[in-house]
């Protein structure tokens, strides 16, 4: 099982497959999973329970079921890449630049590893891509399309009950869109609401309207109901269940032990900035090449990537940030602003959570670059677009320079991109002895070991 909570998600999916309702009960059967009854991030597990039922009836348990569920996750991420490509071609019509950018992002070792893991991050990746596409179409329509407002809101609501960390992103960007187009909407309304409704294509509106209503009901059933009942949209496990029950859940028990042995620290703006620069940024970026498994008899085994892969990715992250900010003006501001706002809001929300937990528990944890993947592709595309235009401005017809740079990137990617980090860094103990593909993986590991010639620890 992958170290990224795969057994946790698979267990919840299995429990949902035993019922038809959208809410599990906290009970003896859910011990070790924390609060699953009121937890807002439930849609992935509920939806995946349906293919789980079908696949388990065909393959039974074991590897057939596990691989099939993983393939669905890979399909979700692939679908997200395709949707982002279609969306970004609308704001920067250069297939070459966008194809190269997406290829580079998909080559990140952690992205492929998480895609092949049973995890709600994969569904979030797909839904955020759909949300981004709808948002771009809405902006192209000047904020006056009922259809694209409904699509944007529907995908955002569904993403919010897939993983709660999307809620602040969705809220902030939606407020920005409303403020940005409020004047246009008001003028349109004054021009005749009835006439606009008569002219609306109701066939095109029906599906997004239905999804919007479903999304509203799902959000209300969790976040609104939790707020009314517990005073928080995402209550702590101890607010809804006994301490003994919550202690069966590993992360909650860890936090409980830390809190028992730590006096909460006071916060200050200077301290927050110091933690952000000296600890948080390095902790987040350092996981982008980390893969690993948890297996019986061997425990947790990880590989943090080759030296050259970590070095190249760190340099690329700095260069992409610079290019996106300094050269990204080639993409119109009305598209850039909400895409950057989504990434910045997510970063601010995640840091706030991590920093508050460090103050309470004395340890910085829960940081991972995988949490940024849903918002990364548009930022990289904007950076690549700016870089391409900058190279043309400096060297005129810079085609050969771009080819040389691309060749260097491809050569660097042979030292750890895609599955090469896993294949080059894993050992035979990572593979279950009973796995039907053990021999194939060992053969691929042999070839990966020959390809990776630089910087393997």
């Amino acid at each position: 099982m992958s170290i990224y909570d795969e057994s946790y998600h698979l267990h919840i999916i299995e429990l949902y497959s035993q019922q038809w309702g959208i809410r599990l009960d906290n009970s003896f059967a859910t011990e070790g999973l924390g609060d699953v009854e009121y937890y807002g991030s439930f849609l992935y597990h509920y939806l995946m329970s349906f293919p789980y039922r079908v696949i388990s009836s065909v393959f039974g348990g074991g590897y057939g079921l596990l691989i099939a569920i993983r393939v669905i996750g890979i399909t979700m991420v692939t679908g997200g890449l395709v949707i982002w490509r279609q969306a970004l071609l609308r704001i920067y019509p250069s297939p070459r630049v966008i194809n190269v950018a997406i290829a580079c992002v998909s080559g990140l070792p952690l992205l492929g590893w998480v895609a092949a893991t049973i995890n709600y991050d994969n569904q979030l990746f797909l839904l955020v891509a759909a949300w981004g596409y709808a948002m771009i179409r809405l902006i192209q329509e000047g904020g006056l399309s009922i259809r694209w407002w409904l699509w944007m809101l529907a995908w955002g609501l569904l993403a919010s009950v897939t993983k709660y960390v999307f809620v602040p992103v969705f809220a902030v960007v939606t407020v920005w869109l409303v403020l940005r187009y409020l004047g246009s909407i008001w003028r349109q309304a004054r021009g005749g609401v009835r006439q606009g409704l008569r002219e609306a294509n109701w066939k095109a509106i029906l599906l997004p309207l239905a999804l919007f209503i479903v999304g509203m009901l799902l959000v209300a059933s969790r976040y609104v109901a939790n707020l009314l009942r517990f005073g928080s949209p995402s209550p702590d496990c101890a607010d809804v269940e006994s301490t003994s029950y919550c202690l069966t859940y590993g992360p909650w028990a860890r936090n409980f032990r830390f809190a028992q042995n730590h006096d909460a620290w006071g916060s200050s703006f200077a301290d927050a900035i110091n933690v952000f620069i000296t600890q948080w940024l390095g902790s987040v970026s350092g996981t982008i090449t980390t893969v690993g498994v948890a297996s019986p008899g061997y425990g947790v085994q990880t590989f943090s990537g080759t030296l050259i892969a970590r070095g190249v990715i760190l340099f690329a992250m700095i260069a992409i940030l610079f290019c996106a900010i300094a050269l990204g003006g080639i993409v119109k501001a009305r598209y850039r602003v909400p895409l950057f706002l989504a990434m910045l809001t997510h970063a601010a929300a995640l840091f706030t959570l991590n920093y508050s937990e460090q103050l309470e528990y004395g340890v910085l944890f829960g940081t991972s670059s995988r949490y940024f993947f849903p918002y990364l592709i548009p930022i990289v595309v904007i950076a690549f677009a700016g870089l391409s235009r900058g190279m043309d401005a400096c060297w005129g017809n810079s085609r050969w320079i771009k080819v040389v740079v691309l060749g260097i990137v491809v050569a660097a990617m042979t030292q750890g991109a895609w599955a090469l980090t896993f294949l080059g860094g894993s050992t035979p103990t990572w593979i279950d002895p009973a796995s039907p593909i053990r021999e194939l993986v060992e053969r691929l590991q042999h070839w990966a070991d020959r390809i990776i010639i630089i910087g393997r620890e």
Side-chain angles (χ1 to χ4, degrees), residues 5-19:
D5 308 321
E6 189 167 42
S7 60
Y8 167 83
H9 293 289
L10 184 60
H11 193 177
I12 296 180
I13 291 170
E14 182 182 6
L15 291 173
Y16 267 115
S17 71
Q18 300 168 13
Q19 65 178 53

Side-chain angles (χ1 to χ4, degrees), residues 259-323:
Q260 294 293 308
N261 298 301
H262 174 74
D263 294 328
W265 296 333
S267 63
S268 68
F269 181 75
D271 180 62
I273 296 299
N274 178 62
V275 171
F276 178 80
I277 295 174
T278 62
Q279 299 180 49
W280 191 78
L281 284 176
S283 181
V284 169
S285 61
T287 62
I288 204 165
T289 58
T290 302
V291 298
V293 297
S295 55
Y298 296 99
V300 174
Q301 304 171 84
T302 62
F303 177 60
S304 58
T306 64
L307 292 174
I308 191 169
R310 297 206 300 271
V312 168
I313 290 174
L314 179 61
F315 171 79
M317 290 171 62
I318 297 172
I320 286 170
L321 183 61
F322 171 79
C323 291

Side-chain angles (χ1 to χ4, degrees), residues 144-171:
L144 297 176
S145 171
I146 297 175
R147 175 191 178 193
W148 290 111
W149 269 111
L150 288 172
W151 275 122
M152 187 277 296
L153 293 171
W155 294 130
L157 289 167
L158 294 177
S160 296
V161 289
T162 295
K163 195 169 183 181
Y164 71 93
V165 293
F166 183 70
V167 172
V169 176
F170 178 48

Side-chain angles (χ1 to χ4, degrees), residues 168-208:
V169 176
F170 178 48
V172 169
V173 174
T174 299
V175 169
W176 183 87
L177 288 169
V178 170
L179 294 177
R180 173 74 170 77
Y181 294 108
L182 186 60
S184 300
I185 295 171
W186 175 250
R187 287 190 294 271
Q188 178 83 350
R190 291 183 63 185
V193 174
R194 292 181 180 178
Q195 181 180 352
L197 291 175
R198 284 197 301 268
E199 295 176 354
N201 185 350
W202 286 101
K203 290 183 179 180
I205 290 175
L206 189 59
L207 180 58

Side-chain angles (χ1 to χ4, degrees), residues 96-144:
R96 291 180 180 177
V97 170
I98 292 176
N99 290 344
V100 170
I102 290 177
C104 289
V105 173
S106 64
L108 293 173
L110 184 57
L111 178 60
W113 184 257
V114 172
T117 295
I118 300 171
N119 194 296
Y120 53 12
D121 289 316
N122 299 328
Q123 181 170 296
L124 181 67
F125 189 92
L126 176 63
L127 291 175
V128 170
W131 171 78
Y133 180 86
M135 178 178 65
I136 288 171
R137 291 298 302 269
L138 174 63
I139 294 171
Q140 288 182 321
E141 297 287 341
L144 297 176

Side-chain angles (χ1 to χ4, degrees), residues 18-159:
Q18 300 168 13
Q19 65 178 53
W20 296 106
I22 63 171
R23 188 183 294 274
L24 293 172
D25 293 327
N26 292 331
S27 63
F28 176 77
T30 62
E31 287 186 353
L33 301 174
D35 169 38
V36 295
E37 185 172 348
Y38 303 99
Y39 190 42
S41 308
F42 71 95
L43 186 60
Y44 168 77
H45 308 105
Y46 179 70
L47 293 180
M48 287 300 294
S49 71
F50 294 97
Y52 182 96
R53 300 169 211 253
V54 176
I55 296 167
S56 61
S57 67
V58 175
F59 294 102
Y63 289 104
L65 175 63
L66 190 63
I67 291 173
I69 299 296
R70 286 173 174 170
V71 168
I72 294 175
I74 294 171
T75 304
M76 288 179 177
V77 173
T78 303
L81 294 174
V82 172
I83 294 172
W84 269 126
R85 182 180 184 277
Q86 295 302 313
L88 295 168
L89 281 171
R90 291 183 167 274
I91 67 175
Y92 185 73
S94 174
R96 291 180 180 177
V97 170
I98 292 176
N99 290 344
V100 170
I102 290 177
C104 289
V105 173
S106 64
L108 293 173
L110 184 57
L111 178 60
W113 184 257
V114 172
T117 295
I118 300 171
N119 194 296
Y120 53 12
D121 289 316
N122 299 328
Q123 181 170 296
L124 181 67
F125 189 92
L126 176 63
L127 291 175
V128 170
W131 171 78
Y133 180 86
M135 178 178 65
I136 288 171
R137 291 298 302 269
L138 174 63
I139 294 171
Q140 288 182 321
E141 297 287 341
L144 297 176
S145 171
I146 297 175
R147 175 191 178 193
W148 290 111
W149 269 111
L150 288 172
W151 275 122
M152 187 277 296
L153 293 171
W155 294 130
L157 289 167
L158 294 177

